[in-house]
Short mmCIF file of all heavy atoms in Angstrom, two decimals:
data_model
loop_
_atom_site.label_atom_id
_atom_site.label_comp_id
_atom_site.label_asym_id
_atom_site.label_seq_id
_atom_site.Cartn_x
_atom_site.Cartn_y
_atom_site.Cartn_z
N ALA A 105 -9.72 -16.59 -5.65
CA ALA A 105 -8.71 -16.14 -6.60
C ALA A 105 -8.65 -14.59 -6.65
O ALA A 105 -7.54 -14.02 -6.82
CB ALA A 105 -8.91 -16.71 -7.96
N LEU A 106 -9.75 -14.01 -6.56
CA LEU A 106 -9.80 -12.50 -6.67
C LEU A 106 -9.10 -11.86 -5.42
O LEU A 106 -8.38 -10.87 -5.64
CB LEU A 106 -11.25 -12.05 -6.66
CG LEU A 106 -11.46 -10.50 -6.82
CD1 LEU A 106 -10.79 -9.95 -8.08
CD2 LEU A 106 -12.94 -10.23 -6.78
N LEU A 107 -9.27 -12.36 -4.31
CA LEU A 107 -8.56 -11.87 -3.13
C LEU A 107 -7.09 -11.93 -3.29
O LEU A 107 -6.35 -10.98 -3.03
CB LEU A 107 -9.01 -12.63 -1.83
CG LEU A 107 -8.27 -12.26 -0.53
CD1 LEU A 107 -8.55 -10.75 -0.23
CD2 LEU A 107 -8.71 -13.13 0.57
N ARG A 108 -6.61 -13.10 -3.75
CA ARG A 108 -5.18 -13.32 -3.89
C ARG A 108 -4.59 -12.27 -5.00
O ARG A 108 -3.58 -11.70 -4.76
CB ARG A 108 -4.87 -14.75 -4.26
CG ARG A 108 -3.38 -15.01 -4.51
CD ARG A 108 -3.08 -16.34 -5.16
NE ARG A 108 -3.73 -16.48 -6.49
CZ ARG A 108 -3.20 -15.92 -7.59
NH1 ARG A 108 -2.10 -15.17 -7.57
NH2 ARG A 108 -3.72 -16.15 -8.76
N LYS A 109 -5.30 -12.24 -6.14
CA LYS A 109 -4.82 -11.35 -7.19
C LYS A 109 -4.80 -9.85 -6.79
O LYS A 109 -3.88 -9.19 -7.05
CB LYS A 109 -5.67 -11.55 -8.48
CG LYS A 109 -5.48 -12.92 -9.13
CD LYS A 109 -6.37 -12.96 -10.42
CE LYS A 109 -6.17 -14.28 -11.11
NZ LYS A 109 -7.03 -14.38 -12.30
N THR A 110 -5.90 -9.43 -6.11
CA THR A 110 -5.98 -8.07 -5.69
C THR A 110 -4.91 -7.80 -4.66
O THR A 110 -4.24 -6.70 -4.68
CB THR A 110 -7.41 -7.78 -5.12
OG1 THR A 110 -8.31 -8.12 -6.15
CG2 THR A 110 -7.56 -6.30 -4.73
N ALA A 111 -4.72 -8.63 -3.71
CA ALA A 111 -3.74 -8.49 -2.66
C ALA A 111 -2.36 -8.47 -3.25
O ALA A 111 -1.47 -7.66 -2.79
CB ALA A 111 -3.82 -9.51 -1.60
N HIS A 112 -2.13 -9.30 -4.26
CA HIS A 112 -0.87 -9.35 -4.90
C HIS A 112 -0.52 -7.99 -5.63
O HIS A 112 0.60 -7.46 -5.51
CB HIS A 112 -0.79 -10.50 -5.88
CG HIS A 112 0.53 -10.64 -6.68
ND1 HIS A 112 1.62 -11.23 -6.10
CD2 HIS A 112 0.90 -10.22 -7.91
CE1 HIS A 112 2.61 -11.11 -6.99
NE2 HIS A 112 2.17 -10.54 -8.09
N ALA A 113 -1.52 -7.47 -6.28
CA ALA A 113 -1.33 -6.21 -7.00
C ALA A 113 -1.08 -5.05 -6.06
O ALA A 113 -0.22 -4.17 -6.24
CB ALA A 113 -2.55 -5.87 -7.86
N LEU A 114 -1.81 -5.10 -4.94
CA LEU A 114 -1.65 -4.07 -3.87
C LEU A 114 -0.23 -4.24 -3.22
O LEU A 114 0.41 -3.16 -2.98
CB LEU A 114 -2.70 -4.15 -2.85
CG LEU A 114 -2.71 -3.16 -1.66
CD1 LEU A 114 -2.82 -1.76 -2.21
CD2 LEU A 114 -3.80 -3.51 -0.74
N ARG A 115 0.20 -5.34 -3.01
CA ARG A 115 1.58 -5.60 -2.49
C ARG A 115 2.60 -5.03 -3.33
O ARG A 115 3.49 -4.32 -2.88
CB ARG A 115 1.80 -7.11 -2.20
CG ARG A 115 3.18 -7.39 -1.64
CD ARG A 115 3.31 -8.77 -1.26
NE ARG A 115 3.21 -9.71 -2.42
CZ ARG A 115 4.19 -10.50 -2.90
NH1 ARG A 115 5.37 -10.45 -2.31
NH2 ARG A 115 4.04 -11.27 -3.84
N GLY A 116 2.45 -5.28 -4.70
CA GLY A 116 3.50 -4.78 -5.58
C GLY A 116 3.47 -3.23 -5.70
O GLY A 116 4.49 -2.60 -5.71
N ALA A 117 2.26 -2.68 -5.77
CA ALA A 117 2.17 -1.18 -5.85
C ALA A 117 2.68 -0.59 -4.63
O ALA A 117 3.38 0.47 -4.54
CB ALA A 117 0.70 -0.78 -6.04
N SER A 118 2.37 -1.21 -3.35
CA SER A 118 2.82 -0.58 -2.10
C SER A 118 4.32 -0.66 -2.08
O SER A 118 5.00 0.29 -1.66
CB SER A 118 2.24 -1.43 -0.98
OG SER A 118 0.82 -1.36 -1.01
N GLY A 119 4.89 -1.82 -2.46
CA GLY A 119 6.32 -1.94 -2.47
C GLY A 119 7.06 -0.94 -3.34
O GLY A 119 8.06 -0.43 -2.99
N SER A 120 6.42 -0.69 -4.51
CA SER A 120 7.06 0.25 -5.43
C SER A 120 7.09 1.70 -5.00
O SER A 120 7.91 2.52 -5.44
CB SER A 120 6.47 0.11 -6.82
OG SER A 120 5.15 0.59 -6.84
N VAL A 121 6.25 2.07 -4.08
CA VAL A 121 6.27 3.46 -3.51
C VAL A 121 6.91 3.51 -2.13
O VAL A 121 6.90 4.49 -1.47
CB VAL A 121 4.88 4.09 -3.46
CG1 VAL A 121 4.29 4.28 -4.85
CG2 VAL A 121 3.96 3.39 -2.58
N GLY A 122 7.46 2.36 -1.66
CA GLY A 122 8.11 2.36 -0.36
C GLY A 122 7.23 2.10 0.80
O GLY A 122 7.66 2.34 1.96
N ALA A 123 5.99 1.78 0.63
CA ALA A 123 5.02 1.54 1.67
C ALA A 123 5.19 0.09 2.17
O ALA A 123 4.37 -0.76 1.90
CB ALA A 123 3.63 1.83 1.26
N ARG A 124 6.28 -0.19 2.81
CA ARG A 124 6.66 -1.54 3.21
C ARG A 124 5.60 -2.13 4.14
O ARG A 124 5.28 -3.37 4.04
CB ARG A 124 8.03 -1.58 3.86
CG ARG A 124 9.09 -1.35 2.77
CD ARG A 124 10.51 -1.51 3.35
NE ARG A 124 11.52 -1.26 2.32
CZ ARG A 124 12.15 -0.07 2.19
NH1 ARG A 124 11.92 0.86 3.04
NH2 ARG A 124 13.04 0.00 1.26
N HIS A 125 5.17 -1.47 5.16
CA HIS A 125 4.16 -2.00 6.02
C HIS A 125 2.92 -2.39 5.35
O HIS A 125 2.37 -3.45 5.60
CB HIS A 125 3.95 -1.05 7.26
CG HIS A 125 3.06 -1.64 8.30
ND1 HIS A 125 3.45 -2.77 9.05
CD2 HIS A 125 1.84 -1.31 8.80
CE1 HIS A 125 2.48 -3.07 9.87
NE2 HIS A 125 1.52 -2.22 9.77
N MET A 126 2.45 -1.56 4.46
CA MET A 126 1.22 -1.90 3.69
C MET A 126 1.53 -3.08 2.82
O MET A 126 0.64 -3.96 2.66
CB MET A 126 0.81 -0.65 2.87
CG MET A 126 -0.59 -0.83 2.29
SD MET A 126 -1.33 0.74 1.82
CE MET A 126 -0.56 1.07 0.33
N ALA A 127 2.68 -3.20 2.28
CA ALA A 127 3.03 -4.33 1.40
C ALA A 127 3.04 -5.62 2.24
O ALA A 127 2.59 -6.68 1.84
CB ALA A 127 4.38 -4.14 0.75
N ASP A 128 3.51 -5.57 3.52
CA ASP A 128 3.49 -6.71 4.39
C ASP A 128 2.12 -7.16 4.73
O ASP A 128 1.86 -8.31 4.71
CB ASP A 128 4.27 -6.32 5.68
CG ASP A 128 5.79 -6.14 5.48
OD1 ASP A 128 6.30 -6.63 4.50
OD2 ASP A 128 6.44 -5.65 6.43
N ILE A 129 1.24 -6.20 4.99
CA ILE A 129 -0.15 -6.55 5.29
C ILE A 129 -0.75 -7.17 4.09
O ILE A 129 -1.50 -8.17 4.10
CB ILE A 129 -0.96 -5.31 5.72
CG1 ILE A 129 -0.39 -4.73 7.02
CG2 ILE A 129 -2.42 -5.71 5.98
CD1 ILE A 129 -0.86 -3.35 7.36
N ALA A 130 -0.53 -6.63 2.87
CA ALA A 130 -1.10 -7.16 1.63
C ALA A 130 -0.53 -8.58 1.42
O ALA A 130 -1.26 -9.41 0.89
CB ALA A 130 -0.76 -6.25 0.46
N GLN A 131 0.74 -8.84 1.73
CA GLN A 131 1.26 -10.20 1.56
C GLN A 131 0.53 -11.19 2.50
O GLN A 131 0.22 -12.25 2.07
CB GLN A 131 2.76 -10.18 1.95
CG GLN A 131 3.46 -11.49 1.70
CD GLN A 131 4.91 -11.41 1.89
OE1 GLN A 131 5.46 -10.52 2.57
NE2 GLN A 131 5.64 -12.42 1.35
N GLN A 132 0.22 -10.76 3.68
CA GLN A 132 -0.62 -11.63 4.56
C GLN A 132 -1.99 -11.92 3.92
O GLN A 132 -2.47 -13.02 4.00
CB GLN A 132 -0.79 -10.95 5.95
CG GLN A 132 0.48 -10.85 6.73
CD GLN A 132 0.30 -10.02 7.99
OE1 GLN A 132 -0.67 -10.23 8.73
NE2 GLN A 132 1.16 -9.08 8.27
N LEU A 133 -2.60 -10.90 3.40
CA LEU A 133 -3.88 -11.04 2.78
C LEU A 133 -3.78 -11.95 1.55
O LEU A 133 -4.70 -12.78 1.30
CB LEU A 133 -4.43 -9.66 2.37
CG LEU A 133 -5.86 -9.50 2.04
CD1 LEU A 133 -6.72 -10.01 3.18
CD2 LEU A 133 -6.21 -8.09 1.75
N GLU A 134 -2.72 -11.82 0.75
CA GLU A 134 -2.49 -12.61 -0.37
C GLU A 134 -2.28 -14.10 0.03
O GLU A 134 -2.88 -15.02 -0.60
CB GLU A 134 -1.13 -12.10 -1.12
CG GLU A 134 -0.92 -12.94 -2.38
CD GLU A 134 0.42 -12.50 -3.10
OE1 GLU A 134 1.08 -11.56 -2.55
OE2 GLU A 134 0.66 -13.01 -4.09
N ALA A 135 -1.61 -14.32 1.13
CA ALA A 135 -1.49 -15.72 1.66
C ALA A 135 -2.80 -16.31 2.01
O ALA A 135 -3.06 -17.50 1.72
CB ALA A 135 -0.52 -15.77 2.82
N LEU A 136 -3.72 -15.53 2.64
CA LEU A 136 -5.02 -16.02 2.93
C LEU A 136 -5.81 -16.44 1.67
O LEU A 136 -6.41 -17.47 1.61
CB LEU A 136 -5.80 -15.00 3.68
CG LEU A 136 -5.53 -14.70 5.17
CD1 LEU A 136 -6.42 -13.62 5.75
CD2 LEU A 136 -5.61 -15.96 6.00
N GLY A 137 -5.73 -15.55 0.68
CA GLY A 137 -6.38 -15.79 -0.60
C GLY A 137 -5.84 -17.09 -1.27
O GLY A 137 -6.57 -17.92 -1.83
N LYS A 138 -4.54 -17.25 -1.19
CA LYS A 138 -3.90 -18.41 -1.79
C LYS A 138 -4.29 -19.61 -1.16
O LYS A 138 -4.52 -20.74 -1.78
CB LYS A 138 -2.37 -18.23 -1.66
CG LYS A 138 -1.57 -19.17 -2.55
CD LYS A 138 -0.06 -18.87 -2.38
CE LYS A 138 0.63 -19.01 -3.75
NZ LYS A 138 2.02 -18.72 -3.67
N ALA A 139 -4.53 -19.58 0.23
CA ALA A 139 -4.99 -20.77 0.96
C ALA A 139 -6.46 -20.98 0.90
O ALA A 139 -7.00 -21.93 1.34
CB ALA A 139 -4.59 -20.59 2.44
N GLY A 140 -7.19 -20.02 0.28
CA GLY A 140 -8.64 -20.10 0.12
C GLY A 140 -9.32 -19.84 1.50
O GLY A 140 -10.39 -20.31 1.72
N ASN A 141 -8.59 -19.13 2.35
CA ASN A 141 -9.13 -18.88 3.69
C ASN A 141 -9.36 -17.35 3.84
O ASN A 141 -8.47 -16.59 3.60
CB ASN A 141 -8.05 -19.35 4.73
CG ASN A 141 -8.48 -19.13 6.14
OD1 ASN A 141 -9.63 -18.71 6.44
ND2 ASN A 141 -7.58 -19.39 7.06
N THR A 142 -10.57 -17.00 4.25
CA THR A 142 -10.83 -15.53 4.46
C THR A 142 -10.85 -15.18 5.90
O THR A 142 -11.16 -14.03 6.16
CB THR A 142 -12.15 -15.15 3.76
OG1 THR A 142 -13.21 -15.96 4.27
CG2 THR A 142 -12.03 -15.33 2.25
N THR A 143 -10.60 -16.12 6.82
CA THR A 143 -10.62 -15.79 8.26
C THR A 143 -9.51 -14.79 8.51
O THR A 143 -8.42 -15.04 8.20
CB THR A 143 -10.35 -17.05 9.02
OG1 THR A 143 -11.41 -18.03 8.77
CG2 THR A 143 -10.39 -16.81 10.58
N GLY A 144 -9.89 -13.65 9.06
CA GLY A 144 -8.98 -12.60 9.34
C GLY A 144 -8.84 -11.62 8.27
O GLY A 144 -8.09 -10.52 8.45
N ALA A 145 -9.44 -11.81 7.08
CA ALA A 145 -9.25 -10.96 5.95
C ALA A 145 -9.83 -9.54 6.31
O ALA A 145 -9.26 -8.56 5.97
CB ALA A 145 -9.93 -11.48 4.77
N VAL A 146 -10.93 -9.46 6.97
CA VAL A 146 -11.60 -8.20 7.26
C VAL A 146 -10.62 -7.33 8.14
O VAL A 146 -10.46 -6.10 7.85
CB VAL A 146 -12.97 -8.36 7.95
CG1 VAL A 146 -13.49 -6.99 8.45
CG2 VAL A 146 -13.98 -8.95 7.01
N ALA A 147 -9.96 -7.90 9.12
CA ALA A 147 -9.09 -7.16 9.99
C ALA A 147 -7.92 -6.69 9.18
O ALA A 147 -7.41 -5.56 9.38
CB ALA A 147 -8.60 -8.13 11.17
N LEU A 148 -7.41 -7.50 8.28
CA LEU A 148 -6.17 -7.14 7.49
C LEU A 148 -6.63 -6.01 6.52
O LEU A 148 -5.86 -4.98 6.29
CB LEU A 148 -5.69 -8.30 6.68
CG LEU A 148 -4.94 -9.41 7.46
CD1 LEU A 148 -4.61 -10.57 6.66
CD2 LEU A 148 -3.66 -8.84 8.09
N ILE A 149 -7.78 -6.06 5.87
CA ILE A 149 -8.32 -4.96 5.08
C ILE A 149 -8.41 -3.65 5.80
O ILE A 149 -8.01 -2.59 5.34
CB ILE A 149 -9.60 -5.39 4.35
CG1 ILE A 149 -9.31 -6.56 3.33
CG2 ILE A 149 -10.26 -4.24 3.67
CD1 ILE A 149 -10.58 -7.21 2.82
N GLU A 150 -8.91 -3.78 7.05
CA GLU A 150 -9.01 -2.57 7.88
C GLU A 150 -7.62 -2.04 8.21
O GLU A 150 -7.41 -0.81 8.18
CB GLU A 150 -9.74 -2.84 9.17
CG GLU A 150 -11.26 -3.18 9.01
CD GLU A 150 -12.01 -3.66 10.23
OE1 GLU A 150 -11.31 -4.02 11.20
OE2 GLU A 150 -13.21 -3.66 10.14
N GLN A 151 -6.64 -2.85 8.38
CA GLN A 151 -5.27 -2.39 8.62
C GLN A 151 -4.70 -1.77 7.35
O GLN A 151 -4.05 -0.71 7.44
CB GLN A 151 -4.37 -3.61 9.01
CG GLN A 151 -4.59 -4.06 10.36
CD GLN A 151 -3.65 -5.31 10.71
OE1 GLN A 151 -2.46 -5.22 10.30
NE2 GLN A 151 -4.18 -6.33 11.36
N ILE A 152 -4.99 -2.29 6.20
CA ILE A 152 -4.58 -1.72 4.94
C ILE A 152 -5.22 -0.34 4.71
O ILE A 152 -4.52 0.60 4.35
CB ILE A 152 -4.84 -2.66 3.73
CG1 ILE A 152 -3.85 -3.82 3.77
CG2 ILE A 152 -4.81 -1.88 2.43
CD1 ILE A 152 -4.17 -4.90 2.71
N GLU A 153 -6.54 -0.23 5.12
CA GLU A 153 -7.18 1.07 4.97
C GLU A 153 -6.46 2.16 5.83
O GLU A 153 -6.22 3.24 5.36
CB GLU A 153 -8.64 0.98 5.31
CG GLU A 153 -9.45 0.20 4.29
CD GLU A 153 -10.87 -0.06 4.71
OE1 GLU A 153 -11.22 -0.01 5.94
OE2 GLU A 153 -11.68 -0.27 3.86
N GLY A 154 -6.16 1.79 7.01
CA GLY A 154 -5.49 2.69 7.96
C GLY A 154 -4.11 3.06 7.46
O GLY A 154 -3.59 4.23 7.53
N GLU A 155 -3.39 2.05 6.97
CA GLU A 155 -1.99 2.23 6.51
C GLU A 155 -2.12 3.16 5.20
O GLU A 155 -1.20 3.97 5.00
CB GLU A 155 -1.37 0.97 6.23
CG GLU A 155 0.12 0.99 5.91
CD GLU A 155 0.96 1.55 7.02
OE1 GLU A 155 0.52 1.73 8.16
OE2 GLU A 155 2.11 1.98 6.74
N PHE A 156 -3.11 2.89 4.38
CA PHE A 156 -3.17 3.71 3.18
C PHE A 156 -3.41 5.17 3.49
O PHE A 156 -2.80 6.08 2.87
CB PHE A 156 -4.45 3.16 2.35
CG PHE A 156 -4.68 3.97 1.06
CD1 PHE A 156 -3.82 3.78 -0.07
CD2 PHE A 156 -5.73 4.81 0.95
CE1 PHE A 156 -3.97 4.48 -1.20
CE2 PHE A 156 -5.94 5.55 -0.29
CZ PHE A 156 -5.08 5.37 -1.29
N CYS A 157 -4.18 5.48 4.49
CA CYS A 157 -4.40 6.89 4.91
C CYS A 157 -2.99 7.49 5.37
O CYS A 157 -2.71 8.59 5.05
CB CYS A 157 -5.45 6.97 6.03
SG CYS A 157 -7.10 6.62 5.50
N ARG A 158 -2.25 6.64 6.10
CA ARG A 158 -1.04 7.18 6.62
C ARG A 158 -0.04 7.37 5.44
O ARG A 158 0.67 8.47 5.45
CB ARG A 158 -0.37 6.12 7.64
CG ARG A 158 0.87 6.63 8.33
CD ARG A 158 1.58 5.55 9.13
NE ARG A 158 2.20 4.64 8.27
CZ ARG A 158 3.35 4.86 7.54
NH1 ARG A 158 3.95 6.01 7.64
NH2 ARG A 158 3.87 3.87 6.82
N VAL A 159 -0.05 6.55 4.50
CA VAL A 159 0.85 6.59 3.38
C VAL A 159 0.49 7.90 2.52
O VAL A 159 1.32 8.62 2.07
CB VAL A 159 0.78 5.35 2.49
CG1 VAL A 159 1.47 5.55 1.10
CG2 VAL A 159 1.47 4.24 3.19
N GLN A 160 -0.87 8.11 2.34
CA GLN A 160 -1.36 9.32 1.60
C GLN A 160 -0.80 10.60 2.25
O GLN A 160 -0.29 11.47 1.53
CB GLN A 160 -2.84 9.40 1.57
CG GLN A 160 -3.50 8.48 0.58
CD GLN A 160 -4.97 8.67 0.61
OE1 GLN A 160 -5.61 8.56 1.65
NE2 GLN A 160 -5.52 8.93 -0.56
N VAL A 161 -0.77 10.66 3.60
CA VAL A 161 -0.31 11.81 4.31
C VAL A 161 1.22 11.97 4.09
O VAL A 161 1.66 13.04 3.81
CB VAL A 161 -0.63 11.73 5.77
CG1 VAL A 161 0.11 12.75 6.58
CG2 VAL A 161 -2.14 11.80 6.01
N GLU A 162 1.97 10.84 4.12
CA GLU A 162 3.44 10.86 3.92
C GLU A 162 3.73 11.30 2.54
O GLU A 162 4.65 12.18 2.31
CB GLU A 162 4.00 9.46 4.17
CG GLU A 162 3.98 9.05 5.61
CD GLU A 162 4.89 9.88 6.46
OE1 GLU A 162 6.01 10.28 6.04
OE2 GLU A 162 4.50 10.14 7.59
N ILE A 163 3.08 10.84 1.53
CA ILE A 163 3.24 11.29 0.13
C ILE A 163 2.97 12.71 -0.08
O ILE A 163 3.73 13.42 -0.72
CB ILE A 163 2.48 10.33 -0.89
CG1 ILE A 163 3.08 8.95 -0.82
CG2 ILE A 163 2.45 10.89 -2.27
CD1 ILE A 163 2.28 7.89 -1.60
N ALA A 164 1.81 13.16 0.51
CA ALA A 164 1.48 14.60 0.37
C ALA A 164 2.58 15.44 1.07
O ALA A 164 2.90 16.49 0.51
CB ALA A 164 0.10 14.83 1.04
N ALA A 165 3.05 15.05 2.17
CA ALA A 165 4.14 15.74 2.87
C ALA A 165 5.43 15.80 1.95
O ALA A 165 6.09 16.88 1.84
CB ALA A 165 4.47 15.16 4.15
N LEU A 166 5.70 14.72 1.29
CA LEU A 166 6.88 14.71 0.41
C LEU A 166 6.65 15.62 -0.75
O LEU A 166 7.61 16.36 -1.15
CB LEU A 166 7.13 13.30 -0.08
CG LEU A 166 7.71 12.32 0.88
CD1 LEU A 166 7.75 10.92 0.27
CD2 LEU A 166 9.10 12.70 1.39
N ASP A 167 5.45 15.63 -1.26
CA ASP A 167 5.15 16.49 -2.40
C ASP A 167 5.27 17.98 -2.06
O ASP A 167 5.70 18.77 -2.87
CB ASP A 167 3.76 16.21 -2.86
CG ASP A 167 3.42 16.87 -4.23
OD1 ASP A 167 4.37 16.82 -5.07
OD2 ASP A 167 2.35 17.37 -4.38
N MET A 168 4.89 18.31 -0.89
CA MET A 168 4.99 19.70 -0.40
C MET A 168 6.37 20.14 -0.26
O MET A 168 6.68 21.34 -0.33
CB MET A 168 4.21 19.89 0.96
CG MET A 168 2.73 19.78 0.84
SD MET A 168 1.83 19.87 2.47
CE MET A 168 2.62 21.33 3.18
N HIS A 169 7.28 19.24 0.00
CA HIS A 169 8.69 19.58 0.21
C HIS A 169 9.51 19.46 -1.00
O HIS A 169 10.71 19.75 -0.96
CB HIS A 169 9.34 18.78 1.40
CG HIS A 169 8.74 19.01 2.65
ND1 HIS A 169 7.79 18.29 3.22
CD2 HIS A 169 8.95 20.07 3.56
CE1 HIS A 169 7.35 18.80 4.47
NE2 HIS A 169 8.11 19.89 4.67
N SER A 170 8.95 19.01 -2.06
CA SER A 170 9.71 18.83 -3.34
C SER A 170 9.81 20.23 -4.03
O SER A 170 9.16 21.16 -3.83
CB SER A 170 9.05 17.88 -4.32
OG SER A 170 7.78 18.41 -4.71
N GLU A 171 10.95 20.33 -4.85
CA GLU A 171 11.24 21.48 -5.60
C GLU A 171 10.19 21.71 -6.72
O GLU A 171 9.82 20.70 -7.35
CB GLU A 171 12.66 21.33 -6.25
CG GLU A 171 13.76 21.31 -5.21
CD GLU A 171 14.06 22.62 -4.63
OE1 GLU A 171 13.95 23.69 -5.37
OE2 GLU A 171 14.38 22.76 -3.44
N PRO A 172 9.78 22.93 -6.95
CA PRO A 172 8.84 23.17 -8.05
C PRO A 172 9.65 22.98 -9.35
O PRO A 172 10.83 23.12 -9.43
CB PRO A 172 8.43 24.57 -7.86
CG PRO A 172 9.45 25.27 -6.98
CD PRO A 172 10.04 24.10 -6.15
N PRO A 173 8.92 22.60 -10.38
CA PRO A 173 9.62 22.46 -11.73
C PRO A 173 10.29 23.71 -12.20
O PRO A 173 9.73 24.79 -11.94
CB PRO A 173 8.52 22.06 -12.72
CG PRO A 173 7.26 21.93 -11.91
CD PRO A 173 7.52 22.44 -10.51
N SER A 174 11.44 23.51 -12.77
CA SER A 174 12.16 24.74 -13.23
C SER A 174 11.58 25.22 -14.53
O SER A 174 11.20 24.38 -15.40
CB SER A 174 13.63 24.34 -13.45
OG SER A 174 14.32 25.43 -13.98
N ASP A 175 11.54 26.50 -14.71
CA ASP A 175 11.04 27.07 -15.96
C ASP A 175 12.18 27.31 -17.01
O ASP A 175 11.93 27.80 -18.10
CB ASP A 175 10.40 28.48 -15.71
CG ASP A 175 9.09 28.35 -14.94
OD1 ASP A 175 8.55 27.25 -14.91
OD2 ASP A 175 8.62 29.41 -14.36
N ARG A 176 13.30 26.93 -16.61
CA ARG A 176 14.50 27.08 -17.56
C ARG A 176 14.45 26.03 -18.65
O ARG A 176 14.07 24.84 -18.36
CB ARG A 176 15.78 26.88 -16.81
CG ARG A 176 16.02 28.05 -15.87
CD ARG A 176 17.45 27.95 -15.25
NE ARG A 176 17.37 28.39 -13.91
CZ ARG A 176 18.26 28.02 -13.00
NH1 ARG A 176 19.28 27.30 -13.31
NH2 ARG A 176 18.18 28.53 -11.75
N VAL A 177 14.80 26.42 -19.86
CA VAL A 177 14.83 25.48 -20.96
C VAL A 177 16.30 25.27 -21.38
O VAL A 177 17.11 26.03 -21.41
CB VAL A 177 14.03 25.92 -22.13
CG1 VAL A 177 14.06 24.96 -23.33
CG2 VAL A 177 12.59 26.14 -21.63
#
């Protein structure tokens, strides 16, 4: 149950920031948890870790290109 719940939360969070590939991997992990099967879970977790690193870089790049807050009131 823990695998399914954690993967479900990760899928939702990933989707809400536009990390679709990470959400897809989390969905596969969630399906394993739902079936009570952990075969292949380690490989999926490793994929999520790699995708998480890529997403962090993308988010940092977006942050660097965003406009600074205006001091005007």
Side-chain angles (χ1 to χ4, degrees):
L106 181 61
L107 176 62
R108 183 191 58 77
K109 287 180 181 181
T110 304
H112 179 78
L114 181 59
R115 180 173 61 115
S118 300
S120 68
V121 297
R124 290 187 179 98
H125 187 61
M126 194 159 78
D128 291 343
I129 299 167
Q131 184 175 18
Q132 294 173 47
L133 197 55
E134 183 181 1
L136 286 180
K138 194 176 216 179
N141 180 6
T142 57
T143 303
V146 171
L148 289 172
I149 291 168
E150 289 171 350
Q151 287 180 39
I152 285 174
E153 288 173 340
E155 189 63 13
F156 180 72
C157 290
R158 190 189 70 73
V159 168
Q160 281 182 305
V161 169
E162 291 292 324
I163 289 172
L166 288 173
D167 190 44
M168 287 177 51
H169 293 99
S170 67
E171 293 285 324
S174 176
D175 290 342
R176 292 187 218 160
V177 178

